Amino acid sequence: MIVRAPFFGGNWKMNHGPTEARRFVESFAELHRTAEDRTVVFFPPALSLAEFREAASGRPDLLLGVQDIYWEKQGAFTGAVSAPLAKDAGAQFVLAGHSERRHVFGDSDEDVARKVGAIAGEGLVPVLCVGELLDERERGEADAVVRRQMEIGLSELDREAIASAIVAYEPVWAIGTGRTARSEDASAVHRLAREILSGLVGNAAARSIPIIYGGSVKPNNIEDLLSAEEVDGVLVGGASLDPEAFAQICGAGSGSGQH
Ligand code: 13P
């Protein structure tokens, strides 16, 4: 699928069950008008997907994703969701390697690679999340961490599949902390990510792969982040739970996204 930049992702994490999801959609749809020049994708808990879809049935511009999958297609894997199940439920995007999966649940780079492979294999868009811990940044290892997570994370994809993926740079120290990367620091890592992608698929294809930023994105810093060089969109946690805040974020960068 063609993903138009800027890309606005709302990662609800373990928040908003079906009841709250419906309420959210009803008010968000009032606040954010359909806009052709951007992509808006929600990543609710898998349990809320059906309710979200139904509540948003008049709004095909509000796309859906899931927050994680297991790489097997089906079977005896209690508690897990697979790429085919996510697709059947209406998801078009899947996050892989989110920092909470890596650091709370122990997903390794190799696990993430298998997940990315399974997502792309199902025709869904993998959103590969990468980002360094604070002590890795302080030791000057941020670039090496991002390089390793990207190279291993994309290792099961061929060039064509890489060209259809999305990369999200989320410095772990900026997630849920209220501490955002300065736009020049975000740009520096995004430039590196673009360079890595160019090495994998060539310059032209790498240009069209969205590289988005995540970590304490709020209405008051969205314009600054979106205008930063090489930042093609954002992945929002906390602020995506509030319809007003997220509608404000999704209207950034043009003025036509909101009324
Ligand atoms: P916050 O916006 O709450 O910092 O979360 C960012 C994030 O993890 C998005 O995936």
Side-chain angles (χ1 to χ4, degrees):
M1 74 178 295
I2 309 242
V3 175
R4 258 183 215 96
F7 177 101
F8 299 88
N11 175 9
W12 286 1
K13 308 188 179 183
M14 200 170 69
N15 298 287
H16 287 353
T19 311
E20 205 51 51
R22 171 171 289 278
R23 263 192 229 129
F24 178 99
V25 172
E26 286 166 0
S27 39
F28 183 81
E30 286 291 310
L31 295 163
H32 175 78
R33 295 294 177 198
T34 304
E36 300 293 329
D37 64 343
R38 55 201 55 229
T39 303
V40 177
V41 183
F42 286 90
F43 298 88
L47 286 174
S48 301
L49 235 60
E51 193 77 15
F52 189 113
R53 246 182 117 187
E54 199 189 293
S57 59
R59 290 294 300 269
D61 60 311
L62 305 182
L63 306 177
L64 277 170
V66 295
Q67 301 169 12
D68 186 48
I69 52 118
Y70 185 57
W71 52 78
E72 295 290 349
K73 285 182 191 292
Q74 61 183 60
F77 302 102
T78 300
V81 163
S82 68
L85 296 185
K87 186 175 178 176
D88 187 26
Q92 291 175 281
F93 298 80
V94 186
L95 304 181
H98 189 277
S99 80
E100 287 138 27
R101 296 301 318 175
R102 293 178 191 268
H103 301 296
V104 180
F105 298 98
D107 284 13
S108 67
D109 288 325
E110 289 71 21
D111 292 339
V112 175
R114 293 170 87 173
K115 291 181 177 190
V116 168
I119 296 162
E122 212 51 48
L124 302 173
V125 178
V127 181
L128 171 64
C129 304
V130 299
E132 79 285 0
L133 296 162
L134 182 59
D135 63 324
E136 291 169 332
R137 171 157 285 261
E138 284 170 348
R139 287 199 303 265
E141 292 168 5
D143 286 9
V145 169
V146 167
R147 180 177 289 281
R148 188 197 73 228
Q149 291 178 341
M150 280 183 65
E151 287 178 350
I152 302 178
L154 296 170
S155 61
E156 294 206 3
L157 303 188
D158 59 19
R159 289 164 70 103
E160 198 186 334
I162 294 174
S164 309
I166 294 177
V167 174
Y169 170 55
E170 301 202 291
V172 181
W173 47 270
I175 296 178
T177 58
R179 199 176 152 193
T180 317
R182 290 181 307 162
S183 52
E184 57 268 37
D185 292 334
S187 286
V189 179
H190 283 227
R191 266 196 301 276
L192 168 75
R194 188 82 64 198
E195 217 178 278
I196 295 167
L197 292 171
S198 295
L200 295 170
V201 298
N203 286 342
R207 287 263 115 242
S208 63
I209 300 173
I211 303 176
I212 62 177
Y213 168 83
S216 297
V217 176
K218 308 287 177 204
N220 65 8
N221 57 27
I222 180 66
E223 295 286 356
D224 191 39
L225 286 163
L226 265 195
S227 59
E229 194 198 333
E230 297 290 0
V231 174
D232 301 317
V234 287
L235 188 55
V236 186
S240 74
L241 297 173
D242 172 39
E244 279 184 23
F246 197 54
Q248 236 174 304
I249 289 172
C250 293
S254 84
S256 63
Q258 236 186 318
H259 69 142

